[in-house]
Amino acid sequence: MKSEKYTYTPLEWDTTHFGVMCSKLVLHAEISVEKLTDLIGQNMNVQFITIVNEQSNPINSRVIGEFTNAFLADINIQFQKNILEQQISEGINITSSYPYDQKIVDLASFQVSRFIEDQKLNELGGKDVYREWLKNSFNRDDKFYATSVGSNGEINGFVLFSFASEKCIIELIAVDVNSAIKGIGSKLFKTVEAYANDRDIKVLQVGTQIRNLTAINFYHKMGCKQVGCHQVYHLWN
């Protein structure tokens, strides 16, 4: 279901992964109490609904808080950058249709995540969401991996990214904790930027959680500007 004010979508992957029926309701503009409760009431068979309140609309925040059992699970911060000409950093490789690599999967130990912090989701497999995300991105020609290799020949950082709506979308980025102070993240980011620029893509987009101060500071350092601040609620029926 879609209108100017909202989009309601069943989530097939989430339903399969968590073993409960899941859906997502995105609020694009102010919504009435009657419409919100009607949408939720029509989908009482859905056990878990993610409600995204775009740009943290204060009227919607009040309506959700007063008239539903949903709780605020996250605030998603969106960044964009007008892509600059960059040099591809030495030691960074970019590959599409990347074959399965357990080292990359092992690097995906993200601790700041609504999938973990929601106890019910965590018990249903929330801690494995990002690893499964990576596994589903291997061997696909629409997914790209930028990888950094250390002096020992092992991968010490990666960026998973893709292209949509004439933008370069950074999906996941991770650096080995022992390499975090060596500038690996900056080299990966700049190389992705250079790769996108070579494809005549002029905008880079990336998101993170409001509690992930390390990521927020990193994206500011890389010249990104905040363009979105979306509240994410979890509703268990």
Side-chain angles (χ1 to χ4, degrees):
M1 293 182 286
K2 188 173 183 178
S3 75
E4 291 184 358
K5 292 190 173 184
Y6 67 87
T7 302
Y8 187 94
T9 311
L11 298 177
E12 296 182 6
W13 186 90
D14 301 63
T15 296
T16 300
H17 180 73
F18 295 118
V20 298
M21 193 171 293
C22 302
S23 65
K24 186 176 187 178
L25 173 61
V26 181
L27 306 179
H28 309 299
E30 185 178 318
I31 195 169
S32 67
V33 174
E34 293 76 17
K35 189 58 184 178
L36 179 63
T37 53
D38 179 58
L39 283 167
I40 294 171
Q42 289 181 34
N43 295 277
M44 286 302 293
N45 61 320
V46 178
Q47 294 156 284
F48 176 68
I49 302 175
T50 300
I51 304 175
V52 179
N53 180 22
E54 289 189 339
Q55 300 302 351
S56 301
N57 183 293
I59 301 298
N60 289 340
S61 299
R62 182 184 63 80
V63 169
I64 294 168
E66 290 187 10
F67 297 96
T68 78
N69 292 322
F71 64 91
L72 184 63
D74 187 19
I75 298 178
N76 177 266
I77 306 297
Q78 286 291 316
F79 292 94
Q80 281 190 3
K81 181 180 182 181
N82 293 328
I83 289 175
L84 304 174
E85 187 171 348
Q86 299 282 1
Q87 296 294 321
I88 293 179
S89 300
E90 185 177 351
I92 308 294
N93 299 306
I94 292 183
T95 311
S96 64
S97 301
Y98 198 92
Y100 180 87
D101 192 318
Q102 186 60 44
K103 178 59 177 178
I104 287 178
V105 176
D106 290 341
L107 284 175
S109 57
F110 305 106
Q111 299 303 310
V112 181
S113 166
R114 64 186 177 91
F115 302 108
I116 297 173
E117 291 157 358
D118 182 328
Q119 184 176 349
K120 287 186 180 180
L121 276 188
N122 189 38
E123 292 173 352
L124 294 171
K127 64 182 181 300
D128 298 320
V129 165
Y130 293 113
R131 292 187 179 91
E132 291 300 318
W133 185 341
L134 289 168
K135 290 177 183 178
N136 291 332
S137 299
F138 290 121
N139 298 301
R140 288 179 53 175
D141 58 11
D142 62 335
K143 301 290 185 179
F144 298 80
Y145 279 92
T147 53
S148 169
V149 177
S151 57
N152 60 359
E154 292 191 359
I155 292 174
N156 58 8
F158 75 87
V159 175
L160 168 63
F161 65 102
S162 56
F163 297 95
S165 302
E166 298 184 354
K167 296 177 183 178
C168 175
I169 312 296
I170 291 183
E171 299 184 22
L172 294 173
I173 180 170
V175 174
D176 183 271
V177 292
N178 296 318
S179 303
I181 62 173
K182 298 179 181 179
I184 301 300
S186 297
K187 291 179 181 179
L188 284 164
F189 190 98
K190 290 178 181 178
T191 299
V192 170
E193 195 175 352
Y195 187 84
N197 186 63
D198 288 345
R199 294 171 64 111
D200 204 30
I201 301 295
K202 299 305 180 184
V203 177
L204 182 148
Q205 183 171 312
V206 63
T208 191
Q209 297 85 6
I210 196 169
R211 293 204 311 108
N212 194 341
L213 299 182
T214 299
I216 289 172
N217 289 332
F218 172 74
Y219 296 133
H220 281 304
K221 173 186 173 183
M222 302 312 299
C224 298
K225 293 184 178 180
Q226 182 179 327
V227 295
C229 181
H230 312 312
Q231 293 171 332
V232 182
Y233 293 83
H234 287 183
L235 175 64
W236 289 92
N237 285 325

